[in-house]
Amino acid sequence: MENQKRFSPQDIIGILPPLLTPFDEKEDIVEPVLREEVRYMLAQGVHGLVPGGSAGEGNTLSIDEARQVIGVTCEEVDGRVPVIAGIIANSTREAIQKARAVSDLGVSALQITPVHYIYRNDDDSMIRHFSAIREAVDIPIIIYNVIPWNYLSVNLLLRLMREVPGIFGVKQSASDVKSMADLLLMADPHMRIYAAIDALLYPTLALGAHGSISQILAAMPGPCVEMWNLVQQGEHERARELHNRLLKVWNAISGDNRLAVTKHVLSLQGIPVGGPRSPLAPASAEQRRNARMALAELLGEDKLVSAN
């Protein structure tokens, strides 16, 4: 897979869904369903794919499993869109190990979280952390700014993109629209700022986000691609109407076990990705009913299938 086409950072824009990792009853990866999911996403017109992220339960994947998920994705994509590999690690050493493990698969970028176990790191430590990863693996980096107690400030994110060669983008999460707006205001022209605020896909795209990498895209890729197209075309009235319908589905998904409900929503569209790994609670009967009702209003009941 070393000859897999790699896209430049400037080409990584638009709707970039994080892939859900399909598991069976034993919580083992189901590769045929993963391939089916990739094909489904491509058929919906997405602009790239992100395997191994938090929506893909990358925090639970071993290095071998992460390599399997990312490798299968690259095989199925076959150079049609960028693939961004999710890296979730708790030390510089572990992040380098995971990045090296997928470096020959042809991914166009790495999406990397700050470390996330209890402690906050000062700014210089974060500079050293991401610099070491970049020096070890010559693949462009998107910083996934999501860890509540290790949340990176706008000034630090700009400093990282300016001082560490190869860091070109930020995935701004945690419902922080102000920080997202500041990043878009102060970013250099070559930098890429991606939205990851599920309930506010339309407002963040309308602000000028270069794309989105967010769980709502994994649940409803087609309508999210439509949202991107509407905003790019300046069709804001139609985009706001679609936002309201998307928000109803997200409100039915949102909760501490939203990943489980997201998996159910994708399963209703014919991609049986199963449940999450333990100990995350499965979707309740009420959550399943509410999610189906909202999704049927968005897509039409005739577009849905039965799901366990």
Side-chain angles (χ1 to χ4, degrees):
M1 282 179 278
E2 291 183 358
N3 294 324
Q4 173 85 13
K5 177 182 177 181
R6 284 184 172 169
F7 291 78
S8 74
Q10 303 308 303
D11 294 325
I12 302 176
I13 60 172
I15 298 302
L16 311 163
L19 287 176
L20 306 176
T21 303
F23 296 125
D24 61 18
E25 294 80 4
K26 295 181 180 179
E27 300 186 2
D28 292 327
I29 295 168
V30 186
E31 187 174 305
V33 175
L34 177 59
R35 292 182 182 277
E36 185 180 358
E37 182 184 2
V38 172
R39 292 193 294 269
Y40 179 74
M41 292 290 172
L42 293 173
Q44 299 301 304
V46 304
H47 305 102
L49 290 170
V50 187
S54 53
E57 297 170 84
N59 58 302
T60 77
L61 300 178
S62 69
I63 289 180
D64 287 344
E65 287 175 327
R67 180 175 169 83
Q68 178 187 1
V69 167
I70 294 163
V72 166
T73 302
C74 288
E75 286 179 2
E76 284 296 325
V77 165
D78 194 26
R80 285 173 284 184
V81 297
V83 175
I84 300 98
I87 303 291
I88 301 174
N90 256 324
S91 68
T92 307
R93 177 187 175 92
E94 182 188 6
I96 289 172
Q97 289 173 338
K98 288 186 173 181
R100 282 176 170 163
V102 302
S103 63
D104 65 327
L105 300 179
V107 299
S108 294
L110 304 173
Q111 173 191 277
I112 306 177
T113 61
V115 296
H116 55 277
Y117 182 70
I118 299 180
Y119 301 108
R120 181 174 182 82
N121 298 107
D122 63 30
D123 289 4
D124 288 342
S125 295
M126 284 290 88
I127 295 285
R128 289 192 297 271
H129 173 71
F130 283 103
S131 295
I133 299 168
R134 174 60 181 171
E135 288 170 7
V137 183
D138 186 22
I139 300 174
I141 292 172
I142 298 167
I143 297 172
Y144 180 10
N145 193 28
V146 69
I147 309 303
W149 44 85
N150 203 8
Y151 195 63
L152 308 188
S153 69
V154 169
N155 287 337
L156 175 56
L157 291 166
L158 293 169
R159 183 182 166 196
L160 280 159
M161 288 189 283
R162 288 169 179 153
E163 293 184 13
V164 182
I167 298 182
F168 72 94
V170 172
K171 173 182 170 180
Q172 185 65 17
S173 189
S175 299
D176 191 350
V177 179
K178 175 62 164 62
S179 291
M180 166 134 235
D182 285 339
L183 282 167
L184 288 165
L185 178 67
M186 293 185 275
D188 298 337
H190 71 279
M191 296 174 183
R192 292 289 178 259
I193 310 300
Y194 304 99
I197 306 172
D198 298 282
L200 301 174
L201 178 63
Y202 165 64
T204 51
L205 293 182
L207 279 171
H210 299 100
S212 179
I213 307 171
S214 194
Q215 196 169 132
I216 193 171
L217 317 183
M220 297 167 284
C224 293
V225 170
E226 182 183 357
M227 175 68 78
W228 170 264
N229 291 337
L230 289 171
V231 172
Q232 301 311 301
Q233 294 160 8
E235 297 280 354
H236 289 283
E237 184 174 348
R238 292 174 59 195
R240 284 192 297 270
E241 188 275 332
L242 178 56
H243 160 77
N244 289 334
R245 292 190 289 134
L246 281 168
L247 185 57
K248 289 181 182 179
V249 184
W250 183 252
N251 286 343
I253 291 172
S254 187
D256 289 339
N257 67 334
R258 59 187 171 274
L259 177 56
V261 188
T262 299
K263 285 188 140 183
H264 178 66
V265 166
L266 189 60
S267 295
L268 288 172
Q269 296 165 75
I271 312 299
V273 288
R277 277 184 165 165
S278 300
L280 191 66
S284 69
E286 181 179 6
Q287 286 176 316
R288 289 168 182 252
R289 283 194 302 271
N290 291 340
R292 185 179 186 104
M293 288 175 58
L295 189 64
E297 183 179 340
L298 176 68
L299 300 179
E301 179 65 37
D302 61 315
K303 298 289 181 61
L304 308 187
V305 301
S306 298
N308 296 326

